[in-house]
Amino acid sequence: MSKKWLKAAGVRALKTMAQTAGATIGTSMVLSEVDWVAVASASILAGILSLLTSLAGLPEVKEV
């Protein structure tokens, strides 16, 4: 794994985590009812799954 791959996979994972957090927070009726532990755990899991998916290849990183 190159630095370029790690950077691309990391950026992709962070974007996935942000999207998951937004979707999880959006399921609450009001901000005071947000289950922050569920938001964090779902977002972390999404980030891990994104990194694992990236092992199959990243189109933005050309293989040499």
CSV table of all heavy atoms in Angstrom, one decimal:
chain,number,residue,atom,x,y,z
A,1,MET,N,0.8,-1.2,0.0
A,1,MET,CA,0.0,0.0,0.0
A,1,MET,C,0.9,1.2,0.0
A,1,MET,O,1.7,1.4,0.8
A,1,MET,CB,-0.9,0.0,1.2
A,1,MET,CG,-2.0,-1.0,1.2
A,1,MET,SD,-3.0,-0.9,2.7
A,1,MET,CE,-3.1,-2.6,3.1
A,2,SER,N,0.6,2.1,-0.9
A,2,SER,CA,1.4,3.3,-1.0
A,2,SER,C,0.8,4.5,-0.2
A,2,SER,O,-0.4,4.3,0.3
A,2,SER,CB,1.5,3.7,-2.5
A,2,SER,OG,0.2,4.1,-3.0
A,3,LYS,N,1.5,5.5,-0.1
A,3,LYS,CA,1.0,6.7,0.6
A,3,LYS,C,-0.2,7.3,-0.1
A,3,LYS,O,-1.2,7.7,0.5
A,3,LYS,CB,2.0,7.8,0.7
A,3,LYS,CG,3.1,7.5,1.8
A,3,LYS,CD,4.0,8.7,1.9
A,3,LYS,CE,5.1,8.4,3.0
A,3,LYS,NZ,6.0,9.5,3.2
A,4,LYS,N,-0.2,7.2,-1.5
A,4,LYS,CA,-1.3,7.7,-2.3
A,4,LYS,C,-2.6,6.9,-2.0
A,4,LYS,O,-3.6,7.4,-1.9
A,4,LYS,CB,-0.9,7.6,-3.7
A,4,LYS,CG,-1.9,8.3,-4.7
A,4,LYS,CD,-1.3,8.4,-6.1
A,4,LYS,CE,-2.3,9.1,-7.0
A,4,LYS,NZ,-1.8,9.2,-8.4
A,5,TRP,N,-2.4,5.6,-1.9
A,5,TRP,CA,-3.5,4.7,-1.6
A,5,TRP,C,-4.1,5.0,-0.3
A,5,TRP,O,-5.3,5.1,-0.1
A,5,TRP,CB,-3.1,3.2,-1.7
A,5,TRP,CG,-4.3,2.3,-1.6
A,5,TRP,CD1,-5.1,1.8,-2.5
A,5,TRP,CD2,-4.8,1.8,-0.3
A,5,TRP,NE1,-6.1,1.0,-2.0
A,5,TRP,CE2,-6.0,1.0,-0.6
A,5,TRP,CE3,-4.5,1.9,1.0
A,5,TRP,CZ2,-6.7,0.4,0.3
A,5,TRP,CZ3,-5.2,1.3,2.0
A,5,TRP,CH2,-6.3,0.5,1.7
A,6,LEU,N,-3.2,5.1,0.7
A,6,LEU,CA,-3.7,5.3,2.1
A,6,LEU,C,-4.4,6.7,2.2
A,6,LEU,O,-5.5,6.7,2.9
A,6,LEU,CB,-2.5,5.4,3.1
A,6,LEU,CG,-1.9,4.0,3.4
A,6,LEU,CD1,-0.6,4.1,4.2
A,6,LEU,CD2,-2.9,3.2,4.2
A,7,LYS,N,-3.9,7.7,1.5
A,7,LYS,CA,-4.6,9.0,1.5
A,7,LYS,C,-6.0,8.9,0.9
A,7,LYS,O,-7.0,9.4,1.4
A,7,LYS,CB,-3.8,10.0,0.8
A,7,LYS,CG,-4.4,11.4,0.8
A,7,LYS,CD,-3.5,12.4,0.2
A,7,LYS,CE,-4.2,13.8,0.2
A,7,LYS,NZ,-3.4,14.8,-0.5
A,8,ALA,N,-6.0,8.2,-0.3
A,8,ALA,CA,-7.3,8.1,-1.0
A,8,ALA,C,-8.3,7.3,-0.2
A,8,ALA,O,-9.5,7.7,-0.1
A,8,ALA,CB,-7.1,7.5,-2.4
A,9,ALA,N,-7.9,6.2,0.4
A,9,ALA,CA,-8.8,5.3,1.2
A,9,ALA,C,-9.2,6.1,2.4
A,9,ALA,O,-10.4,6.0,2.8
A,9,ALA,CB,-8.1,4.0,1.5
A,10,GLY,N,-8.3,6.8,3.0
A,10,GLY,CA,-8.7,7.6,4.2
A,10,GLY,C,-9.7,8.7,3.9
A,10,GLY,O,-10.7,8.9,4.7
A,11,VAL,N,-9.5,9.4,2.8
A,11,VAL,CA,-10.5,10.4,2.5
A,11,VAL,C,-11.8,9.8,2.2
A,11,VAL,O,-12.9,10.3,2.6
A,11,VAL,CB,-10.0,11.2,1.2
A,11,VAL,CG1,-11.1,12.1,0.6
A,11,VAL,CG2,-8.8,12.1,1.6
A,12,ARG,N,-11.8,8.7,1.5
A,12,ARG,CA,-13.1,8.0,1.2
A,12,ARG,C,-13.8,7.5,2.4
A,12,ARG,O,-15.0,7.7,2.6
A,12,ARG,CB,-12.8,6.8,0.2
A,12,ARG,CG,-14.1,6.1,-0.2
A,12,ARG,CD,-13.8,5.0,-1.1
A,12,ARG,NE,-13.6,5.6,-2.4
A,12,ARG,CZ,-13.7,4.9,-3.6
A,12,ARG,NH1,-14.0,3.6,-3.5
A,12,ARG,NH2,-13.5,5.5,-4.7
A,13,ALA,N,-13.0,7.0,3.4
A,13,ALA,CA,-13.6,6.5,4.6
A,13,ALA,C,-14.2,7.7,5.5
A,13,ALA,O,-15.2,7.6,6.0
A,13,ALA,CB,-12.5,5.8,5.4
A,14,LEU,N,-13.4,8.8,5.5
A,14,LEU,CA,-14.0,10.0,6.3
A,14,LEU,C,-15.3,10.5,5.6
A,14,LEU,O,-16.2,10.9,6.4
A,14,LEU,CB,-12.9,11.1,6.3
A,14,LEU,CG,-11.7,10.8,7.2
A,14,LEU,CD1,-10.7,11.9,7.1
A,14,LEU,CD2,-12.2,10.8,8.7
A,15,LYS,N,-15.3,10.5,4.3
A,15,LYS,CA,-16.6,11.0,3.7
A,15,LYS,C,-17.7,10.0,4.0
A,15,LYS,O,-18.8,10.5,4.3
A,15,LYS,CB,-16.4,11.1,2.2
A,15,LYS,CG,-15.5,12.2,1.7
A,15,LYS,CD,-15.4,12.2,0.2
A,15,LYS,CE,-14.5,13.4,-0.3
A,15,LYS,NZ,-14.4,13.4,-1.7
A,16,THR,N,-17.4,8.7,4.0
A,16,THR,CA,-18.5,7.7,4.3
A,16,THR,C,-18.9,7.9,5.7
A,16,THR,O,-20.1,7.8,6.0
A,16,THR,CB,-17.9,6.3,4.1
A,16,THR,OG1,-17.5,6.2,2.7
A,16,THR,CG2,-18.9,5.3,4.4
A,17,MET,N,-18.0,8.1,6.7
A,17,MET,CA,-18.3,8.3,8.1
A,17,MET,C,-19.2,9.6,8.3
A,17,MET,O,-20.2,9.5,9.0
A,17,MET,CB,-17.1,8.4,8.9
A,17,MET,CG,-16.3,7.1,9.0
A,17,MET,SD,-14.7,7.2,9.8
A,17,MET,CE,-15.2,7.5,11.5
A,18,ALA,N,-18.9,10.6,7.6
A,18,ALA,CA,-19.7,11.9,7.7
A,18,ALA,C,-21.1,11.7,7.1
A,18,ALA,O,-22.0,12.1,7.7
A,18,ALA,CB,-19.0,13.0,6.9
A,19,GLN,N,-21.2,11.0,6.0
A,19,GLN,CA,-22.5,10.7,5.5
A,19,GLN,C,-23.3,9.8,6.4
A,19,GLN,O,-24.5,10.0,6.6
A,19,GLN,CB,-22.4,10.0,4.1
A,19,GLN,CG,-21.8,10.9,3.0
A,19,GLN,CD,-21.4,10.1,1.8
A,19,GLN,OE1,-21.3,8.9,1.8
A,19,GLN,NE2,-21.2,10.9,0.7
A,20,THR,N,-22.7,8.8,7.0
A,20,THR,CA,-23.4,8.0,7.9
A,20,THR,C,-23.8,8.7,9.2
A,20,THR,O,-25.0,8.5,9.6
A,20,THR,CB,-22.5,6.8,8.4
A,20,THR,OG1,-22.1,6.1,7.2
A,20,THR,CG2,-23.2,5.8,9.3
A,21,ALA,N,-23.0,9.6,9.7
A,21,ALA,CA,-23.4,10.4,10.8
A,21,ALA,C,-24.5,11.3,10.5
A,21,ALA,O,-25.5,11.4,11.3
A,21,ALA,CB,-22.2,11.2,11.3
A,22,GLY,N,-24.5,11.9,9.3
A,22,GLY,CA,-25.6,12.8,8.9
A,22,GLY,C,-26.9,12.0,8.8
A,22,GLY,O,-28.0,12.5,9.3
A,23,ALA,N,-26.9,10.8,8.2
A,23,ALA,CA,-28.1,10.0,8.1
A,23,ALA,C,-28.6,9.5,9.4
A,23,ALA,O,-29.8,9.5,9.7
A,23,ALA,CB,-27.8,8.8,7.2
A,24,THR,N,-27.7,9.2,10.3
A,24,THR,CA,-28.1,8.7,11.6
A,24,THR,C,-28.7,9.8,12.5
A,24,THR,O,-29.7,9.6,13.1
A,24,THR,CB,-26.9,8.0,12.4
A,24,THR,OG1,-26.3,7.0,11.5
A,24,THR,CG2,-27.3,7.3,13.6
A,25,ILE,N,-28.1,10.9,12.4
A,25,ILE,CA,-28.6,12.1,13.2
A,25,ILE,C,-30.0,12.5,12.6
A,25,ILE,O,-30.9,12.8,13.3
A,25,ILE,CB,-27.6,13.3,13.1
A,25,ILE,CG1,-26.4,12.9,13.9
A,25,ILE,CG2,-28.2,14.6,13.6
A,25,ILE,CD1,-25.2,13.9,13.7
A,26,GLY,N,-30.1,12.4,11.3
A,26,GLY,CA,-31.3,12.8,10.6
A,26,GLY,C,-32.5,11.9,11.0
A,26,GLY,O,-33.7,12.3,10.7
A,27,THR,N,-32.3,10.8,11.5
A,27,THR,CA,-33.4,9.9,11.9
A,27,THR,C,-34.1,10.3,13.2
A,27,THR,O,-35.2,9.8,13.5
A,27,THR,CB,-33.0,8.4,12.0
A,27,THR,OG1,-32.0,8.3,13.0
A,27,THR,CG2,-32.4,7.9,10.7
A,28,SER,N,-33.5,11.2,14.0
A,28,SER,CA,-34.1,11.7,15.2
A,28,SER,C,-35.0,12.8,14.9
A,28,SER,O,-34.8,13.6,14.0
A,28,SER,CB,-33.0,12.2,16.2
A,28,SER,OG,-32.1,11.1,16.5
A,29,MET,N,-36.1,12.9,15.7
A,29,MET,CA,-37.0,14.0,15.6
A,29,MET,C,-36.5,15.3,16.0
A,29,MET,O,-36.7,16.3,15.3
A,29,MET,CB,-38.3,13.7,16.4
A,29,MET,CG,-39.0,12.5,15.8
A,29,MET,SD,-39.5,12.7,14.1
A,29,MET,CE,-41.3,12.9,14.3
A,30,VAL,N,-35.8,15.4,17.1
A,30,VAL,CA,-35.2,16.6,17.6
A,30,VAL,C,-33.7,16.3,18.0
A,30,VAL,O,-33.4,15.2,18.3
A,30,VAL,CB,-35.9,17.2,18.8
A,30,VAL,CG1,-37.3,17.7,18.3
A,30,VAL,CG2,-36.1,16.3,19.9
A,31,LEU,N,-32.9,17.3,18.0
A,31,LEU,CA,-31.4,17.1,18.3
A,31,LEU,C,-31.2,16.5,19.7
A,31,LEU,O,-30.3,15.8,19.9
A,31,LEU,CB,-30.7,18.4,18.1
A,31,LEU,CG,-29.2,18.4,18.0
A,31,LEU,CD1,-28.8,17.4,16.8
A,31,LEU,CD2,-28.6,19.7,17.8
A,32,SER,N,-32.1,16.9,20.6
A,32,SER,CA,-31.9,16.4,22.0
A,32,SER,C,-32.2,14.9,22.1
A,32,SER,O,-31.8,14.3,23.1
A,32,SER,CB,-32.8,17.1,22.9
A,32,SER,OG,-34.2,16.9,22.6
A,33,GLU,N,-32.8,14.3,21.1
A,33,GLU,CA,-33.1,12.8,21.1
A,33,GLU,C,-32.0,12.0,20.4
A,33,GLU,O,-32.2,10.8,20.2
A,33,GLU,CB,-34.5,12.6,20.5
A,33,GLU,CG,-35.6,13.1,21.4
A,33,GLU,CD,-36.9,12.9,20.7
A,33,GLU,OE1,-37.0,12.2,19.7
A,33,GLU,OE2,-37.9,13.4,21.3
A,34,VAL,N,-31.0,12.6,19.9
A,34,VAL,CA,-30.0,11.9,19.1
A,34,VAL,C,-29.2,10.9,20.1
A,34,VAL,O,-28.7,11.4,21.1
A,34,VAL,CB,-29.0,12.9,18.4
A,34,VAL,CG1,-27.9,12.1,17.8
A,34,VAL,CG2,-29.7,13.7,17.4
A,35,ASP,N,-29.1,9.7,19.7
A,35,ASP,CA,-28.3,8.7,20.4
A,35,ASP,C,-26.9,8.8,19.9
A,35,ASP,O,-26.5,8.2,18.9
A,35,ASP,CB,-28.9,7.3,20.2
A,35,ASP,CG,-28.1,6.2,21.0
A,35,ASP,OD1,-27.1,6.6,21.6
A,35,ASP,OD2,-28.6,5.1,21.0
A,36,TRP,N,-26.0,9.6,20.6
A,36,TRP,CA,-24.7,9.9,20.1
A,36,TRP,C,-23.8,8.7,20.0
A,36,TRP,O,-22.9,8.6,19.2
A,36,TRP,CB,-24.1,11.1,20.9
A,36,TRP,CG,-24.8,12.3,20.6
A,36,TRP,CD1,-25.7,13.0,21.5
A,36,TRP,CD2,-24.8,13.1,19.5
A,36,TRP,NE1,-26.2,14.1,20.9
A,36,TRP,CE2,-25.7,14.2,19.7
A,36,TRP,CE3,-24.2,13.0,18.2
A,36,TRP,CZ2,-25.9,15.2,18.7
A,36,TRP,CZ3,-24.4,14.0,17.3
A,36,TRP,CH2,-25.3,15.1,17.5
A,37,VAL,N,-24.1,7.7,20.9
A,37,VAL,CA,-23.3,6.5,20.9
A,37,VAL,C,-23.6,5.7,19.7
A,37,VAL,O,-22.7,5.2,19.0
A,37,VAL,CB,-23.5,5.7,22.2
A,37,VAL,CG1,-22.9,4.3,22.1
A,37,VAL,CG2,-23.1,6.4,23.5
A,38,ALA,N,-24.8,5.7,19.3
A,38,ALA,CA,-25.2,5.0,18.1
A,38,ALA,C,-24.7,5.7,16.8
A,38,ALA,O,-24.2,5.0,15.9
A,38,ALA,CB,-26.8,4.9,18.0
A,39,VAL,N,-24.7,7.0,16.8
A,39,VAL,CA,-24.1,7.8,15.7
A,39,VAL,C,-22.6,7.4,15.6
A,39,VAL,O,-22.1,7.1,14.5
A,39,VAL,CB,-24.3,9.3,15.9
A,39,VAL,CG1,-23.5,10.1,14.9
A,39,VAL,CG2,-25.8,9.6,15.9
A,40,ALA,N,-21.9,7.5,16.7
A,40,ALA,CA,-20.5,7.2,16.7
A,40,ALA,C,-20.2,5.8,16.2
A,40,ALA,O,-19.3,5.6,15.4
A,40,ALA,CB,-19.8,7.5,18.0
A,41,SER,N,-20.9,4.8,16.8
A,41,SER,CA,-20.6,3.4,16.4
A,41,SER,C,-20.9,3.1,15.0
A,41,SER,O,-20.2,2.4,14.3
A,41,SER,CB,-21.3,2.4,17.4
A,41,SER,OG,-22.7,2.6,17.3
A,42,ALA,N,-22.0,3.6,14.5
A,42,ALA,CA,-22.4,3.4,13.1
A,42,ALA,C,-21.4,4.1,12.2
A,42,ALA,O,-21.0,3.5,11.1
A,42,ALA,CB,-23.8,3.9,12.8
A,43,SER,N,-20.9,5.3,12.5
A,43,SER,CA,-20.0,6.0,11.7
A,43,SER,C,-18.6,5.3,11.7
A,43,SER,O,-18.0,5.2,10.6
A,43,SER,CB,-19.8,7.4,12.2
A,43,SER,OG,-21.0,8.1,12.1
A,44,ILE,N,-18.2,4.8,12.8
A,44,ILE,CA,-16.9,4.1,12.8
A,44,ILE,C,-17.0,2.8,12.0
A,44,ILE,O,-16.1,2.5,11.3
A,44,ILE,CB,-16.5,3.8,14.3
A,44,ILE,CG1,-16.1,5.1,15.0
A,44,ILE,CG2,-15.3,2.8,14.4
A,44,ILE,CD1,-16.0,5.1,16.5
A,45,LEU,N,-18.1,2.1,12.2
A,45,LEU,CA,-18.3,0.8,11.4
A,45,LEU,C,-18.3,1.1,9.9
A,45,LEU,O,-17.7,0.4,9.1
A,45,LEU,CB,-19.6,0.1,11.8
A,45,LEU,CG,-19.9,-1.2,11.1
A,45,LEU,CD1,-18.8,-2.2,11.2
A,45,LEU,CD2,-21.2,-1.7,11.5
A,46,ALA,N,-19.0,2.2,9.5
A,46,ALA,CA,-19.0,2.6,8.1
A,46,ALA,C,-17.6,2.9,7.6
A,46,ALA,O,-17.2,2.5,6.5
A,46,ALA,CB,-19.9,3.8,7.9
A,47,GLY,N,-16.8,3.6,8.4
A,47,GLY,CA,-15.4,3.9,8.0
A,47,GLY,C,-14.6,2.6,7.9
A,47,GLY,O,-13.8,2.5,6.9
A,48,ILE,N,-14.7,1.7,8.8
A,48,ILE,CA,-14.0,0.4,8.7
A,48,ILE,C,-14.4,-0.3,7.4
A,48,ILE,O,-13.6,-0.9,6.7
A,48,ILE,CB,-14.2,-0.4,9.9
A,48,ILE,CG1,-13.5,0.2,11.1
A,48,ILE,CG2,-13.7,-1.9,9.7
A,48,ILE,CD1,-13.9,-0.4,12.5
A,49,LEU,N,-15.7,-0.4,7.2
A,49,LEU,CA,-16.2,-1.1,6.0
A,49,LEU,C,-15.7,-0.4,4.7
A,49,LEU,O,-15.4,-1.1,3.7
A,49,LEU,CB,-17.7,-1.2,6.0
A,49,LEU,CG,-18.3,-2.1,7.1
A,49,LEU,CD1,-19.8,-2.0,7.1
A,49,LEU,CD2,-17.9,-3.5,6.9
A,50,SER,N,-15.6,0.9,4.7
A,50,SER,CA,-15.1,1.6,3.6
A,50,SER,C,-13.7,1.3,3.3
A,50,SER,O,-13.3,1.1,2.1
A,50,SER,CB,-15.3,3.1,3.8
A,50,SER,OG,-14.7,3.9,2.7
A,51,LEU,N,-12.8,1.2,4.3
A,51,LEU,CA,-11.4,0.8,4.2
A,51,LEU,C,-11.3,-0.6,3.6
A,51,LEU,O,-10.5,-0.8,2.8
A,51,LEU,CB,-10.7,1.0,5.5
A,51,LEU,CG,-10.4,2.4,6.0
A,51,LEU,CD1,-9.9,2.4,7.4
A,51,LEU,CD2,-9.5,3.1,5.0
A,52,LEU,N,-12.1,-1.5,4.1
A,52,LEU,CA,-12.1,-2.9,3.7
A,52,LEU,C,-12.5,-2.9,2.2
A,52,LEU,O,-11.9,-3.7,1.4
A,52,LEU,CB,-13.0,-3.8,4.5
A,52,LEU,CG,-12.5,-4.0,5.9
A,52,LEU,CD1,-13.5,-4.8,6.7
A,52,LEU,CD2,-11.2,-4.7,6.0
A,53,THR,N,-13.5,-2.2,1.8
A,53,THR,CA,-13.9,-2.1,0.4
A,53,THR,C,-12.8,-1.6,-0.5
A,53,THR,O,-12.6,-2.0,-1.6
A,53,THR,CB,-15.2,-1.3,0.3
A,53,THR,OG1,-16.2,-1.9,1.1
A,53,THR,CG2,-15.7,-1.3,-1.2
A,54,SER,N,-12.1,-0.6,0.0
A,54,SER,CA,-11.0,0.0,-0.7
A,54,SER,C,-9.9,-1.0,-1.0
A,54,SER,O,-9.1,-0.8,-2.0
A,54,SER,CB,-10.5,1.2,0.0
A,54,SER,OG,-11.4,2.2,0.1
A,55,LEU,N,-9.8,-2.1,-0.3
A,55,LEU,CA,-8.8,-3.1,-0.5
A,55,LEU,C,-9.0,-3.7,-1.9
A,55,LEU,O,-8.0,-4.2,-2.5
A,55,LEU,CB,-8.8,-4.1,0.6
A,55,LEU,CG,-8.3,-3.7,1.9
A,55,LEU,CD1,-8.5,-4.8,2.9
A,55,LEU,CD2,-6.8,-3.3,1.9
A,56,ALA,N,-10.2,-3.7,-2.4
A,56,ALA,CA,-10.5,-4.3,-3.7
A,56,ALA,C,-10.0,-3.4,-4.8
A,56,ALA,O,-9.9,-3.8,-5.9
A,56,ALA,CB,-12.0,-4.5,-3.9
A,57,GLY,N,-9.7,-2.1,-4.5
A,57,GLY,CA,-9.2,-1.2,-5.5
A,57,GLY,C,-9.8,0.2,-5.4
A,57,GLY,O,-11.0,0.3,-5.0
A,58,LEU,N,-9.1,1.2,-5.7
A,58,LEU,CA,-9.6,2.5,-5.8
A,58,LEU,C,-9.4,3.1,-7.2
A,58,LEU,O,-8.2,3.1,-7.7
A,58,LEU,CB,-8.8,3.4,-4.8
A,58,LEU,CG,-9.1,3.1,-3.3
A,58,LEU,CD1,-8.0,3.9,-2.4
A,58,LEU,CD2,-10.5,3.5,-2.9
A,59,PRO,N,-10.4,3.5,-7.8
A,59,PRO,CA,-10.3,4.0,-9.2
A,59,PRO,C,-9.4,5.2,-9.3
A,59,PRO,O,-8.8,5.5,-10.3
A,59,PRO,CB,-11.7,4.3,-9.7
A,59,PRO,CG,-12.5,4.2,-8.5
A,59,PRO,CD,-11.8,3.5,-7.4
A,60,GLU,N,-9.3,6.0,-8.2
A,60,GLU,CA,-8.5,7.2,-8.3
A,60,GLU,C,-7.0,7.0,-8.1
A,60,GLU,O,-6.2,7.9,-8.2
A,60,GLU,CB,-9.0,8.3,-7.3
A,60,GLU,CG,-9.1,7.8,-5.8
A,60,GLU,CD,-10.4,7.2,-5.4
A,60,GLU,OE1,-11.1,6.5,-6.2
A,60,GLU,OE2,-10.8,7.4,-4.3
A,61,VAL,N,-6.7,5.7,-7.7
A,61,VAL,CA,-5.2,5.4,-7.6
A,61,VAL,C,-4.9,4.4,-8.7
A,61,VAL,O,-5.3,3.2,-8.6
A,61,VAL,CB,-5.0,4.8,-6.2
A,61,VAL,CG1,-3.5,4.4,-6.0
A,61,VAL,CG2,-5.4,5.8,-5.1
A,62,LYS,N,-4.1,4.8,-9.6
A,62,LYS,CA,-3.7,3.9,-10.7
A,62,LYS,C,-2.7,2.9,-10.2
A,62,LYS,O,-1.7,3.3,-9.5
A,62,LYS,CB,-3.1,4.8,-11.8
A,62,LYS,CG,-4.0,5.9,-12.3
A,62,LYS,CD,-4.8,5.3,-13.5
A,62,LYS,CE,-5.6,6.5,-14.1
A,62,LYS,NZ,-7.0,6.3,-14.2
A,63,GLU,N,-2.8,1.7,-10.6
A,63,GLU,CA,-1.8,0.7,-10.2
A,63,GLU,C,-0.7,0.7,-11.2
A,63,GLU,O,-0.9,0.9,-12.4
A,63,GLU,CB,-2.5,-0.7,-10.2
A,63,GLU,CG,-3.5,-0.9,-9.1
A,63,GLU,CD,-3.9,-2.3,-9.0
A,63,GLU,OE1,-3.1,-3.2,-9.3
A,63,GLU,OE2,-5.1,-2.5,-8.6
A,64,VAL,N,0.5,0.5,-10.7
A,64,VAL,CA,1.7,0.5,-11.6
A,64,VAL,C,2.1,-0.9,-12.0
A,64,VAL,O,2.0,-1.8,-11.3
A,64,VAL,CB,2.8,1.2,-10.8
A,64,VAL,CG1,4.1,1.3,-11.7
A,64,VAL,CG2,2.4,2.6,-10.3
